[in-house]
Amino acid sequence: MSDLIAQLAVFGIVNGFGYAIAALGLTIIFGVMRIVNFAHGEFYMLGAFVAATLIATTGVPYLVAIPLSSVVVGVIGIASERVFIAPLHNRSHLTLLLSTLAISMIFLNAAELIWGSAPRVITSPFEESLYVIGPVFLTGQRVFIVAVGIVVVVGLGLFLKYSTAGKIIRATAQNPEGAALIGVNIGLVRSMTFGFGCGLAALSGALLAPISMTYPVMGQALAIKAFAVTILGGLGSLPGAIIGGLTLGVVEAIAGGTLSTAYRDLFSYAAIIIVLLLRPQGLMGAAR
Amino acid sequence: MTRLLLQNSRNSRIFFVLVLLSACIAPFLVPPGYLLHLLVMFLIFSIMALSLSVIVGFLGELTLGQAGFFATGAYVSAILAVDYGWPFWLSLPMAGLLSGVVGILVGIPSFRLQGPYFAIVTLGFSQIIGLVITNSISITRGPMGISKIPAPEINLPFLPPVVFDTEKSFYFLVLCLVLITIYVIRRLLVSRTGRAIVAIRENPALAQSIGVDLYKYKILAFFISTSIAGVSGAAYAHYVRVITPHLSDVYYTTAALIMVVVGGAATIAGALVGAFIFTLLPEALRFVEDARLLIFGVILFLSIRYMPQGIWPALLVWTARLARKANSSNGGADQ
């Protein structure tokens, strides 16, 4: 029993890193733009499909396809922000939310038209290796996800803390007017941040694709999980997104594996609702 | 906006009668079959869109959980009719009432939040409703859904029984439901409660300062909205006569949301116009059937970008401007 729980917990941590990367994107977008990106799941889906297409058409190895796909989807994100969000930036929350909903519908349908709705599999070279740590079995892909997750988390933290671009992003998140006063191009920062957040969603999609299926509606379930994670950790809080992601991954895996698989997805919704009711500011207590 | 409506209240009454008349004639002009079926679906979704406009339009909060209550209503009425033999005339109000009660249960925690948080939590609750429906197999038959839902019928003594099992008969039945819904929402809007709800949208702080209990009125509005959504679900169940847990999919929430936002969130006519466009538009778009969602997305964006109030209010402003122009040019000629 404890072996099973250990195995489930490790699987949960792996998934949790995937959720955390996507949620980091969501929370950065919210922090800077005050927008809940309802198209986040679709950018996650695009990440997986673009990686699959790159591998199939150009024959690049999986390791190259992942960053390439994130960059491509990031650029799509920037373009989407220019077209769908920038013209509405001084409108209400409700309007902006609806606009991201429109983006989500457009990309979901576009993906169905381009790639068809049948699931496809991305094969990763890491899938062939197997690691045994005590009672826990792990494929190389899962180890790889954790490794990338740690690199992304640390890299993102350093980027935001020390680089000029990171400081500009933080300044804009704290006080857009103040940042504009000292010469920051707010519009540009918004576009870049949106693209960056979408790129993170795509990275998560390309990473998790080999251990799950790739199909157009795959992003919808993830979007809700990413909402759950950001709310668990507090919208706009980076450490919150990481802790939230790992928590949700582990809780979901253990509860889903031991209690009820039918209600597996219930845990993310229940987590959102319970946390919002008890601690609306999120576990990490970021300002709302 | 409301002033504009009030000023033209006589005109709008004439307009309403004209629309109602054409709605009554429509099933006799439209060939029976698919087109008439679409008109029935339009009426059912009108009720759904009206339910959403109470929250999105009049209260000014974005709820993403309406499909959950649509499904609740459909399942309550179907289970009561199939398993317990309730007649439609009792199971439909019961479906509305129970959906409203579920709405209160969802509203009590959800209205402690607002804005994007409220939207996400209501989305979460509707997903939970979907999961419960899918997994409570002994009650709901799970993913297989419920079939052979009886058509509504009237059995009066000494009269032949009337069964609403054709498109035409069901059309008139739902038309009555739509009229009742419009009546209820209109009554609500002019009542103290309705004015309090609109005051909350316009300025919550001010509303609170003059003694409006925000929380109480928000939950009341949510109860009314989710009850109406439940009624539309029940009507759907007894018309299509087969239901599955897919009714709680986000798809239905999005569809209703687009109808309301594109048509005009804060007007009754807007919700109807939106429902009309979005049940009949897929027909016009048949040649691009696979790209339907994409086109809906583009329309949604264009409408919030260029007609933030919705199509219906934009039309009203436009016709008022035309009328004023006609008036002033007439006046010039007289002098």
Side-chain angles (χ1 to χ4, degrees), chain B residues 80-97:
Chain B
L80 287 177
V82 174
D83 290 347
Y84 298 91
W86 283 37
F88 173 77
W89 316 104
L90 292 179
S91 68
L92 177 105
M94 196 57 178
L97 186 68

Side-chain angles (χ1 to χ4, degrees), chain A residues 25-200:
Chain A
L26 195 66
T27 216
I28 286 180
I29 293 174
F30 183 84
V32 173
M33 310 171 75
R34 302 279 134 191
I35 293 174
V36 177
N37 180 18
F38 271 81
H40 212 63
E42 274 56 51
F43 289 104
Y44 167 88
M45 173 270 294
L46 283 178
F49 268 113
V50 171
T53 309
L54 282 174
I55 294 169
T57 55
T58 64
V60 293
Y62 176 69
L63 260 182
V64 181
I66 299 177
L68 262 183
S69 153
S70 309
V71 171
V72 169
V73 176
V75 171
I76 298 176
I78 293 174
S80 311
E81 199 276 343
R82 286 279 100 192
V83 175
F84 294 101
I85 295 173
L88 304 170
H89 77 92
N90 50 2
R91 300 265 286 276
S92 71
H93 280 304
L94 204 146
T95 309
L96 286 164
L97 213 158
L98 286 170
S99 198
T100 63
L101 206 59
I103 301 177
S104 146
M105 294 162 73
I106 290 169
F107 283 138
L108 178 59
N109 203 165
E112 276 170 359
L113 291 176
I114 298 172
W115 291 292
S117 48
R120 62 178 72 194
V121 183
I122 296 183
T123 44
S124 152
F126 302 108
E127 274 297 87
E128 288 153 18
S129 48
L130 186 72
Y131 298 91
V132 184
I133 310 154
V136 178
F137 292 84
L138 273 183
T139 58
Q141 178 65 19
R142 289 178 199 266
V143 177
F144 178 63
I145 292 172
V146 173
V148 173
I150 293 171
V151 169
V152 166
V153 166
V154 173
L156 190 64
L158 293 176
F159 167 73
L160 286 176
K161 188 131 198 226
Y162 296 110
S163 74
T164 315
K167 285 176 186 163
I168 290 175
I169 288 178
R170 280 191 295 138
T172 312
Q174 273 175 16
N175 188 342
E177 284 83 13
L181 267 179
I182 56 162
V184 172
N185 182 346
I186 300 289
L188 185 70
V189 173
R190 285 207 176 99
S191 299
M192 290 300 169
T193 306
F194 196 80
F196 190 60
C198 295
L200 283 174

